[in-house]
Amino acid sequence: MGHPAVSGQGAVRQGASRAYDAVVFDLDGVICHTDVYHYRSWKSVADELRIPFDETVNNRLRGVSRMESLDIVLERYVGEPLSHERKSELAATKNDRYRVMLGDMTPADLDPAVRTTLDELRSRGLKLAIGSSSRNAAFILERLGLGDYFDAVADGNHISRSKPDPEVFLLAAEYLGVDPSRCVVVEDAEAGIEAGSAAGMYTVAIGDAAEKGVGDAQLRTIAELTDVMARLES
Ligand code: B16
Ligand code: MG
């Protein structure tokens, strides 16, 4: 705790001088752009139910579990209440469509800047982990050629409470054997920044979360993370 937020792109809070031992990365929206696939697959389900679905709704799904995402999508549903079975069926349909898109990914879909940034942080002695709400995290990492890359992976299969609860990030720190206060978390979701903060981690926002100005620091691109880490160490 105790990481006051500052505004401005690429900003780092003043006077930060503590050392960090690890960086915990969110997956969807940070390491890869599977958020576009989430959008397309949720939209196809919403369209079939004649539910309005746009980027604003989609941004609320970032970092949120599949079933909680479905509840958000269904907020605008007009009709008879849906049974638990029907809801499970809709979530499964969405996931099947999403996995078809994931299946088409190859290591060529990994942004070279992500790989360079990860390698650079590792060469500085930092441990690297994933903290994702997704139950598809292992599959995504494998598709991107990162199956064995991270020192620890905590994902939606290991937790009972999704972001903004800190559980997934605390678990990642535990898997790494690093105190949460010595971890930096990189997130694209407001809920994820909230979770990182609740875990007592230094929070770095990118994408949608950076646009909203949340977090202790904001990035325009993932490559800026090496500078942020260097400034935190100086
Ligand atoms: P799945 P992250 C999250 O991943 C996504 O941002 C969120 O949109 C999705 O609903 C959630 O994973 C669950 O994903 O359906 O694959 O289990 O951003 O926490 O890496
Ligand atoms: Mg995300």
Side-chain angles (χ1 to χ4, degrees):
M1 296 294 218
H3 301 294
V6 292
S7 59
Q9 299 283 11
V12 173
R13 73 190 161 91
Q14 296 300 306
S17 58
R18 62 190 298 169
Y20 291 90
D21 298 324
V23 184
V24 183
F25 290 88
D26 171 55
L27 182 60
D28 164 62
V30 175
I31 296 294
C32 53
H33 289 288
T34 40
D35 43 350
V36 178
Y37 303 149
H38 277 300
Y39 175 83
R40 287 187 199 148
S41 46
W42 276 125
K43 178 137 179 63
S44 72
V45 169
D47 285 352
E48 283 161 19
L49 293 169
R50 300 177 193 280
I51 300 171
F53 185 83
D54 56 20
E55 286 290 347
T56 309
V57 179
N58 191 58
N59 283 337
R60 290 176 57 207
L61 312 184
R62 292 179 187 278
V64 175
S65 74
R66 196 178 309 158
M67 290 310 287
E68 287 167 316
S69 295
L70 176 64
D71 285 336
I72 293 172
V73 172
L74 291 176
E75 280 173 8
R76 297 202 213 170
Y77 175 68
V78 180
E80 292 298 308
L82 301 173
S83 66
H84 181 71
E85 290 68 31
R86 179 68 180 131
K87 283 165 87 169
S88 299
E89 206 177 275
L90 289 170
T93 300
K94 182 269 172 184
N95 193 52
D96 289 347
R97 292 173 187 174
Y98 177 60
R99 281 185 67 100
V100 168
M101 297 177 203
L102 296 181
D104 286 339
M105 288 197 316
T106 72
D109 289 304
L110 181 65
D111 179 353
V114 169
R115 184 64 197 232
T116 306
T117 302
L118 292 172
D119 290 346
E120 172 71 24
L121 298 178
R122 173 159 283 166
S123 73
R124 292 186 192 183
L126 287 156
K127 289 187 178 177
L128 306 178
I130 291 289
S132 168
S133 301
S134 177
R135 291 175 178 265
N136 292 300
F139 183 49
I140 294 168
L141 291 170
E142 185 242 304
R143 296 304 307 168
L144 294 173
L146 292 174
D148 297 321
Y149 189 88
F150 290 91
D151 300 303
V153 175
D155 66 37
N157 298 296
H158 309 129
I159 55 170
S160 53
R161 298 177 301 279
S162 72
K163 303 164 187 175
D165 190 282
E167 186 180 8
V168 78
F169 292 135
L170 292 173
L171 200 59
E174 188 186 319
Y175 288 167
L176 289 173
V178 173
D179 192 272
S181 67
R182 295 177 71 85
C183 294
V184 169
V185 62
V186 186
E187 257 290 350
D188 72 310
E190 264 190 294
I193 291 291
E194 216 180 300
S197 199
M201 300 179 177
Y202 186 91
T203 57
V204 178
I206 193 166
D208 185 61
E211 279 164 30
K212 289 180 171 141
V214 296
D216 296 314
Q218 295 83 33
L219 307 178
R220 279 168 302 202
T221 66
I222 193 74
E224 289 182 351
L225 182 60
T226 47
D227 288 343
V228 169
M229 292 309 297
R231 285 153 75 185
L232 287 175
E233 295 299 316
S234 65

